Amino acid sequence: MKIVVAGSQLPPFFVAIFLLILGLVLGSFTTVLVFRIPTKTSIMGRSKCPKCGIQLLNRDNIPVFGYLMQRGKCRNCKIYISPRYLILELVTAASVFLPFVAFHRILIITPWDFFIVLGISLSA
């Protein structure tokens, strides 16, 4: 079965990979919203270590992989960073990907994903 996106037929594998990456990116943005809005911190700007305040490197900001590469610790002060960031990114990625598995239709997935990400942000 091929999925038609913008007039092109794509194998489901490519759509699945795209949705997983999109879910991870949206999960990363969700963590920014969830942890900065309550503290009235701007959602613009680079991420920082909650303890020492040093800006994270680009490779540390890669969703899930950055956390795993650093083993959940700050590169500078070595304090453990909460696994909530990792969990929220993984839950959001899975929530964006699972409707594709269930429905196999892009037109159904897009609004579903929007409400899932919004719901995760509000509930967290």
Side-chain angles (χ1 to χ4, degrees), residues 19-35 47 61-64 83-97 113 116-118 120-121 124:
L19 288 174
L20 282 172
I21 292 170
L22 177 65
L24 289 172
V25 169
L26 290 174
S28 182
F29 182 67
T30 300
T31 61
V32 168
L33 293 177
V34 167
F35 296 111
S47 296
N61 273 329
I62 299 171
V64 176
R84 294 181 298 175
Y85 297 96
L86 175 68
I87 292 167
L88 195 52
E89 288 175 357
L90 289 172
V91 166
T92 306
S95 299
V96 169
F97 177 70
D113 289 340
I116 287 173
V117 171
L118 181 64
I120 290 170
S121 298

Coordinates of all heavy atoms in Angstrom, one line a residue, residues 19-35 47 61-64 83-97 113 116-118 120-121 124:
L19 N 7.0 10.7 10.5 CA 6.1 11.0 11.7 C 6.9 10.7 13.0 O 6.6 11.5 14.0 CB 4.9 10.1 11.6 CG 3.9 10.5 10.5 CD1 2.7 9.5 10.4 CD2 3.3 11.9 10.8
L20 N 7.8 9.8 13.1 CA 8.5 9.6 14.3 C 9.5 10.8 14.5 O 9.5 11.3 15.7 CB 9.4 8.3 14.2 CG 8.6 7.0 14.5 CD1 9.5 5.8 14.2 CD2 8.1 7.0 15.9
I21 N 10.1 11.3 13.5 CA 11.0 12.5 13.6 C 10.1 13.7 14.0 O 10.5 14.4 14.9 CB 11.8 12.7 12.4 CG1 12.8 11.6 12.2 CG2 12.5 14.0 12.4 CD1 13.5 11.6 10.9
L22 N 9.0 13.9 13.3 CA 8.1 15.0 13.7 C 7.6 14.9 15.1 O 7.6 15.9 15.8 CB 6.9 15.0 12.7 CG 5.8 16.0 13.0 CD1 6.4 17.4 12.8 CD2 4.6 15.8 12.1
G23 N 7.3 13.7 15.6 CA 6.9 13.5 16.9 C 8.0 13.8 17.9 O 7.7 14.4 19.0
L24 N 9.2 13.5 17.6 CA 10.3 13.8 18.5 C 10.5 15.3 18.6 O 10.8 15.9 19.7 CB 11.6 13.1 18.1 CG 11.6 11.6 18.3 CD1 12.9 11.0 17.7 CD2 11.6 11.3 19.8
V25 N 10.4 16.0 17.4 CA 10.6 17.5 17.4 C 9.5 18.1 18.2 O 9.7 19.0 19.0 CB 10.7 18.0 15.9 CG1 10.6 19.5 15.9 CG2 12.0 17.5 15.3
L26 N 8.2 17.7 17.9 CA 7.1 18.2 18.7 C 7.2 17.9 20.2 O 6.8 18.8 21.0 CB 5.8 17.7 18.1 CG 5.4 18.2 16.7 CD1 4.1 17.5 16.2 CD2 5.2 19.7 16.7
G27 N 7.8 16.8 20.5 CA 8.0 16.4 21.9 C 9.0 17.4 22.6 O 8.8 17.8 23.7
S28 N 10.0 17.7 21.8 CA 11.0 18.6 22.3 C 10.4 20.0 22.6 O 10.6 20.6 23.6 CB 12.2 18.7 21.4 OG 13.2 19.6 21.8
F29 N 9.6 20.4 21.6 CA 8.9 21.7 21.8 C 7.9 21.7 22.9 O 7.8 22.7 23.7 CB 8.2 22.1 20.5 CG 7.6 23.5 20.6 CD1 8.3 24.6 20.7 CD2 6.2 23.6 20.5 CE1 7.7 25.9 20.8 CE2 5.6 24.8 20.6 CZ 6.3 26.0 20.7
T30 N 7.3 20.6 23.1 CA 6.3 20.4 24.2 C 7.0 20.5 25.5 O 6.5 21.2 26.5 CB 5.6 19.0 24.1 OG1 4.9 19.0 22.9 CG2 4.6 18.8 25.2
T31 N 8.2 20.0 25.7 CA 9.0 20.1 26.9 C 9.3 21.6 27.2 O 9.3 22.0 28.3 CB 10.2 19.3 26.9 OG1 11.1 19.7 25.9 CG2 9.9 17.8 26.8
V32 N 9.6 22.3 26.1 CA 9.9 23.7 26.3 C 8.7 24.4 26.8 O 8.8 25.2 27.8 CB 10.4 24.4 24.9 CG1 10.4 25.9 25.0 CG2 11.7 23.8 24.5
L33 N 7.5 24.2 26.2 CA 6.3 24.8 26.7 C 6.0 24.4 28.1 O 5.7 25.3 29.0 CB 5.1 24.4 25.8 CG 5.1 24.9 24.4 CD1 3.9 24.3 23.6 CD2 5.1 26.4 24.3
V34 N 6.0 23.1 28.4 CA 5.6 22.6 29.8 C 6.5 23.2 30.9 O 6.0 23.5 32.0 CB 5.6 21.1 29.7 CG1 5.5 20.5 31.1 CG2 4.5 20.6 28.9
F35 N 7.8 23.3 30.6 CA 8.7 23.6 31.7 C 9.1 25.1 31.7 O 9.6 25.6 32.8 CB 10.0 22.8 31.6 CG 9.7 21.3 31.9 CD1 9.8 20.4 30.9 CD2 9.2 20.9 33.1 CE1 9.5 19.1 31.1 CE2 8.9 19.6 33.3 CZ 9.1 18.7 32.3
S47 N 18.2 26.2 25.2 CA 18.0 25.5 26.5 C 19.2 25.6 27.3 O 20.3 25.6 26.8 CB 17.7 24.0 26.2 OG 16.4 23.9 25.5
N61 N 20.7 19.0 22.3 CA 19.3 19.3 22.1 C 18.6 18.4 21.1 O 17.4 18.6 20.9 CB 19.2 20.8 21.6 CG 19.1 21.7 22.8 OD1 18.6 21.4 23.9 ND2 19.6 22.9 22.5
I62 N 19.3 17.4 20.6 CA 18.6 16.4 19.7 C 17.7 15.6 20.6 O 18.1 15.0 21.6 CB 19.6 15.5 19.1 CG1 20.6 16.3 18.2 CG2 18.9 14.5 18.2 CD1 21.8 15.5 17.7
P63 N 16.4 15.6 20.2 CA 15.4 15.0 21.1 C 15.8 13.5 21.4 O 16.2 12.8 20.5 CB 14.1 15.0 20.3 CG 14.3 16.2 19.4 CD 15.7 16.2 19.1
V64 N 15.7 13.1 22.6 CA 15.9 11.7 23.1 C 17.4 11.4 23.0 O 18.0 11.1 24.0 CB 15.1 10.6 22.4 CG1 15.5 9.3 22.9 CG2 13.6 10.9 22.7
P83 N 14.4 12.9 34.2 CA 13.9 12.1 33.0 C 12.6 12.5 32.5 O 12.1 12.0 31.5 CB 13.9 10.6 33.6 CG 13.8 10.8 35.1 CD 14.4 12.1 35.4
R84 N 11.9 13.5 33.1 CA 10.6 14.0 32.6 C 10.8 14.5 31.2 O 9.9 14.3 30.3 CB 10.1 15.1 33.5 CG 9.7 14.7 34.8 CD 9.1 15.8 35.6 NE 10.2 16.8 35.8 CZ 10.0 18.0 36.4 NH1 8.8 18.3 36.8 NH2 11.0 18.9 36.5
Y85 N 11.9 15.1 30.8 CA 12.2 15.6 29.5 C 12.1 14.4 28.5 O 11.5 14.5 27.4 CB 13.5 16.3 29.4 CG 13.6 17.5 30.2 CD1 14.2 17.5 31.5 CD2 13.1 18.8 29.8 CE1 14.3 18.7 32.3 CE2 13.2 19.9 30.5 CZ 13.8 19.8 31.8 OH 13.8 21.0 32.5
L86 N 12.9 13.4 28.8 CA 12.9 12.2 27.9 C 11.6 11.6 27.8 O 11.1 11.2 26.7 CB 13.9 11.2 28.5 CG 14.1 9.9 27.8 CD1 14.7 10.1 26.4 CD2 14.9 8.9 28.6
I87 N 10.9 11.4 28.9 CA 9.6 10.7 28.9 C 8.6 11.5 28.1 O 7.8 10.9 27.3 CB 9.1 10.5 30.3 CG1 9.9 9.4 31.0 CG2 7.6 10.0 30.4 CD1 9.8 9.3 32.5
L88 N 8.5 12.8 28.3 CA 7.6 13.7 27.5 C 7.9 13.6 26.0 O 6.9 13.6 25.2 CB 7.7 15.1 28.1 CG 6.5 16.0 27.7 CD1 5.2 15.4 28.0 CD2 6.7 17.4 28.4
E89 N 9.1 13.6 25.6 CA 9.5 13.5 24.2 C 9.1 12.2 23.6 O 8.5 12.1 22.5 CB 11.0 13.7 24.0 CG 11.4 15.2 24.2 CD 12.9 15.4 24.2 OE1 13.7 14.4 24.0 OE2 13.4 16.5 24.3
L90 N 9.3 11.1 24.4 CA 8.9 9.8 23.9 C 7.4 9.6 23.8 O 6.9 9.0 22.8 CB 9.5 8.7 24.8 CG 11.0 8.5 24.7 CD1 11.5 7.5 25.7 CD2 11.4 8.0 23.3
V91 N 6.7 10.1 24.8 CA 5.2 10.0 24.8 C 4.6 10.8 23.6 O 3.7 10.3 22.9 CB 4.6 10.5 26.1 CG1 3.1 10.7 26.0 CG2 4.9 9.5 27.2
T92 N 5.2 12.0 23.4 CA 4.7 12.8 22.2 C 5.0 12.1 20.9 O 4.1 12.0 20.0 CB 5.3 14.2 22.3 OG1 5.0 14.8 23.6 CG2 4.7 15.1 21.2
A93 N 6.2 11.6 20.8 CA 6.6 10.9 19.5 C 5.7 9.7 19.3 O 5.2 9.5 18.2 CB 8.0 10.4 19.6
A94 N 5.4 8.9 20.3 CA 4.5 7.7 20.2 C 3.1 8.2 19.8 O 2.4 7.5 19.0 CB 4.5 6.9 21.4
S95 N 2.7 9.3 20.4 CA 1.3 9.7 20.2 C 1.1 10.3 18.8 O 0.0 10.2 18.3 CB 0.9 10.8 21.2 OG 1.0 10.3 22.5
V96 N 2.2 10.8 18.2 CA 2.1 11.3 16.8 C 2.1 10.1 15.9 O 1.5 10.1 14.8 CB 3.2 12.3 16.5 CG1 3.3 12.6 15.1 CG2 2.9 13.6 17.3
F97 N 2.9 9.1 16.2 CA 3.1 7.9 15.3 C 1.9 6.9 15.4 O 1.6 6.4 14.3 CB 4.4 7.2 15.7 CG 4.7 6.0 14.9 CD1 5.0 6.1 13.6 CD2 4.6 4.7 15.5 CE1 5.3 4.9 12.9 CE2 4.9 3.6 14.8 CZ 5.2 3.7 13.5
D113 N -3.0 14.4 15.4 CA -1.7 14.8 16.0 C -1.8 16.1 16.7 O -1.2 16.3 17.8 CB -0.6 14.8 15.0 CG -0.3 13.4 14.5 OD1 -0.6 12.4 15.2 OD2 0.3 13.3 13.4
I116 N -3.5 15.7 20.0 CA -2.7 14.9 20.9 C -1.6 15.8 21.5 O -1.4 15.8 22.7 CB -2.2 13.7 20.2 CG1 -3.3 12.7 20.0 CG2 -1.0 13.1 21.0 CD1 -2.8 11.5 19.1
V117 N -0.9 16.5 20.7 CA 0.2 17.3 21.2 C -0.3 18.4 22.1 O 0.2 18.7 23.2 CB 1.0 17.9 20.0 CG1 2.0 18.9 20.5 CG2 1.7 16.8 19.3
L118 N -1.5 19.0 21.7 CA -2.1 20.0 22.6 C -2.5 19.4 23.9 O -2.3 20.0 25.0 CB -3.3 20.6 21.9 CG -4.0 21.7 22.6 CD1 -3.1 22.9 22.8 CD2 -5.3 22.1 21.9
I120 N -1.3 16.7 25.4 CA -0.1 16.4 26.2 C 0.5 17.7 26.9 O 0.8 17.7 28.1 CB 1.0 15.7 25.3 CG1 0.5 14.3 25.0 CG2 2.3 15.6 26.1 CD1 1.4 13.6 23.9
S121 N 0.5 18.7 26.1 CA 1.1 20.0 26.7 C 0.2 20.5 27.8 O 0.7 20.9 28.9 CB 1.1 21.1 25.6 OG 2.0 20.7 24.6
A124 N 0.4 18.0 30.9 CA 1.8 17.9 31.6 C 2.0 19.2 32.4 O 2.6 19.3 33.4 CB 2.9 17.7 30.6

